[in-house]
Amino acid sequence: MMEITNLDNVRKRRLRGGIVGGGKGAFIGAIHRIAVELDGQAQIIAGAMSSDPEIARSSAEDWFLSRWYDSYEVMAQEEAAREDGIDFVIIVTPNHLHVPVAKAFLQAGIHVMCDKPVAVSLAEAESLAAVVETSGSLFGLTHTYTGYPSMREARQLIADGALGQLRKVLVEYQQDWLMEPLEQDPAAKQAQWRTDPARAGISCCVGDIGSHAANLLEFVSGKQIESLCADLSAFVPGRQLDDDANMLLRLKGGAKGVLSCSQVACGEENNLNIRVYGDKAGLEWHQQEPNTLLFKPAGQPWQKLRTGVNLQSEQAQRLTRTPGGHPEGYLEAFANLYQLFLSDVRHALQDEPLSGGYPTINDGLRGMRFIEQAVASSKAGSIWKEIP
């Protein structure tokens, strides 16, 4: 048996990752871990999974982590000082901790992948962007749905002019998990913080899933939202933040859009859909059937484009993992973003050119501008607001 030597060489070892948040009872932390470890390029070895020492310790033990902390500040300092310290950290905390945690690790020279939205306010996001720029470290954002091969194909088709001049984009994201006052249940921690302005920020539904819908619209169409007219509602009595929103959009280049998102849409699970129409063809995609992209050329039969079968773009093929007929879903899309991000972490550690392809701090800033203007529009009586 031949042994690989010089394991500190970045080319010859797995990247070392850490996580902040995601302790017992959390949902998204385990999803991140599966995604980051799926390709065998990295392993989560350290974590500050809770500020409660007992939960932090037991959560780390459940994950078989080498090191655990009950303070993200201590974790950032100590991991940066170790020869075998982490190369990157994942942030899966409530929104109000995203920026302070990210700053601590960026300033320690550790790359960051963060859940969205990036912050609780645009001003806070802008302060983080300044740290990203001066730190020299990478910052990624998990707008997961851009990781689907079918969405990469849709983006390329539109960029290549297959749809012609864009006219209309419809995007919706419907859920029902907050249709009752779940935040009143002491055990429903996610519902509690997502509906709490002190921890979630100025929006619940728009900040949580509306920002995904807006990001996907801009990613696929290649057009930024220039202005919006929004109507936000809190249908559940006593709820402090929105649980439903409907918007009209004006896109750069003249196309119009409609965005609808809800967390009180009875019977819906995670129903994210997008339809794009040009003067030559249309596209349609449903996240709950993610391997199928419908292409609708004018005057011709619809074409069913399938992951692993007939997606043609280089990016779609690169991110396709299995042969046709073997379903690829949410976990694989998540892992695709990590594949791109970890490739750049490895490049950065070796002072090599970066490849990109994943959401960055710029997408985080776009998201916060969208959220703030949607809230402002609704509060002012659903008037048109420009997105700077």
Side-chain angles (χ1 to χ4, degrees), residues 18-23 46-51 56 65 67-73 75 93 105:
I19 188 167
V20 177
M49 301 182 73
S50 173
S51 58
L65 300 186
R67 300 183 290 276
W68 70 272
Y69 305 83
D70 56 19
S71 162
Y72 70 82
E73 297 97 334
M75 178 178 169
T93 64
F105 283 90

Side-chain angles (χ1 to χ4, degrees), residues 10 15-19 32 35-37 39 41-44 86-91 102 105-106 109-115 132 135-144 146-147 152 315 318-319 321 332-350 352-361 363:
V10 177
L15 295 173
R16 299 182 288 261
I19 188 167
H32 277 265
V36 79
E37 296 184 353
D39 291 309
Q41 291 296 310
Q43 185 175 11
I44 305 302
I86 59 174
D87 302 302
F88 67 95
V89 71
I90 301 165
I91 301 174
F105 283 90
L106 290 168
I110 296 171
H111 305 292
V112 171
M113 179 65 95
C114 184
D115 256 350
V132 173
S135 71
S137 296
L138 301 176
F139 183 91
L141 199 65
T142 51
H143 276 298
T144 314
T146 64
R152 301 284 166 145
Q315 268 289 301
R318 175 183 175 183
L319 297 182
R321 296 170 175 274
E332 290 85 355
F334 226 121
N336 285 338
L337 292 188
Y338 270 111
Q339 179 191 122
L340 298 169
F341 175 72
L342 293 177
S343 176
D344 266 4
V345 169
R346 206 174 285 277
H347 289 321
L349 292 172
Q350 298 173 114
E352 296 174 349
L354 305 179
S355 300
Y358 50 89
T360 68
I361 188 63
D363 297 278

